């Protein structure tokens, strides 16, 4: 419609639970209670089509303890093209506020472990940074916040700036803006008072909008897009 093209879909869940829901943690740490966020997504490469189309499937699960003093996550990205597929993984963990450990692995077997120094003041755990726009809207916070948080796409702890304001055209809604680094273009979200994201605008004219599984399935089947 209107020249728009589907290039991806995602599902986001957030809940209170235990560290064991990440999988792969030792039994003692597994009982630790906290908050989890999970993001599953499929993105299609816009510059490839048909059987040679590049498909990116990702699943990330992020945990932070109730007192925010520890966090861990695991992220897996599978890149598919035809019958070929390659898998990239990232595992992060932190105990206390001195250092963040991040291990990555790619299909070549080259692994890397980063030890990133932290300061407690101004640092926001990754799970909380993913939930932040919804939390700000739900608590009716207005203003600007800035903090350090980890970014997988940069493999670094970077400085992020967020602002949230009432939508002047619709007082029942909020406009949330994020700059993930000093020189990056803004990501703009439109949210309901309850924190539901109505629209998320990304650089380059791309945007996310909410849908149902039924509607998504109908559109992707109609356009013969890969859903396997």
């Amino acid at each position: 419609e209107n020249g728009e093209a589907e290039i991806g879909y995602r599902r986001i869940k957030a809940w209170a639970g235990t560290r064991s829901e990440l999988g792969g943690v030792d039994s003692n740490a597994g009982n630790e209670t906290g908050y989890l966020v999970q993001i599953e997504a499929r993105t299609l490469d816009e510059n490839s089509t048909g059987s040679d189309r590049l498909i990116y499937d990702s699943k990330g699960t992020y945990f932070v303890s109730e007192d925010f003093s520890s966090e861990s996550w695991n992220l897996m990205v599978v890149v598919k093209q035809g019958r070929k597929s390659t898998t990239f993984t990232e595992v992060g963990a932190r105990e206390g506020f001195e250092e963040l450990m991040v291990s990555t692995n790619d299909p070549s077997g080259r692994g890397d472990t980063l030890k990133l120094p932290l300061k407690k003041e101004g640092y926001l755990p990754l799970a909380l940074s993913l939930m932040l726009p919804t939390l700000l809207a739900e608590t009716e916070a207005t203003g600007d916040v800035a903090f350090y948080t980890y970014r997988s796409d940069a493999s670094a702890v970077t400085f992020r700036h967020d602002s949230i304001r009432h939508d002047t055209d619709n007082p029942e809604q909020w406009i949330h803006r994020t700059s993930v680094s000093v020189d990056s273009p803004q990501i703009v979200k439109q949210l309901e008072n309850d924190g539901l994201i109505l629209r998320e605008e990304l650089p380059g004219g791309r945007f996310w909008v909410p849908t149902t599984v039924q509607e998504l399935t109908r559109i992707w089947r109609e356009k013969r897009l890969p859903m396997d």
Side-chain angles (χ1 to χ4, degrees), residues 59-124:
K59 182 177 181 178
T61 311
Y62 308 85
F63 169 84
V64 61
S65 62
E66 287 179 346
D67 62 1
F68 309 151
S69 67
S70 67
E71 66 180 309
S72 51
W73 71 85
N74 53 56
L75 169 66
M76 181 171 68
V77 180
V78 181
V79 184
K80 301 174 181 174
Q81 188 170 32
R83 294 182 177 181
K84 293 186 298 182
S85 72
T86 50
T87 302
F88 301 83
T89 61
E90 178 185 272
V91 176
R94 172 179 63 84
E95 298 294 336
F97 289 93
E98 286 73 45
E99 191 175 68
L100 184 64
M101 296 268 294
V102 181
S103 299
T104 58
N105 226 318
D106 67 27
S108 68
R110 283 198 301 271
D112 197 12
T113 298
L114 304 172
K115 296 182 178 181
L116 305 170
L118 298 176
K119 289 183 179 176
K120 182 175 181 178
E121 192 175 330
Y123 174 76
L124 195 67

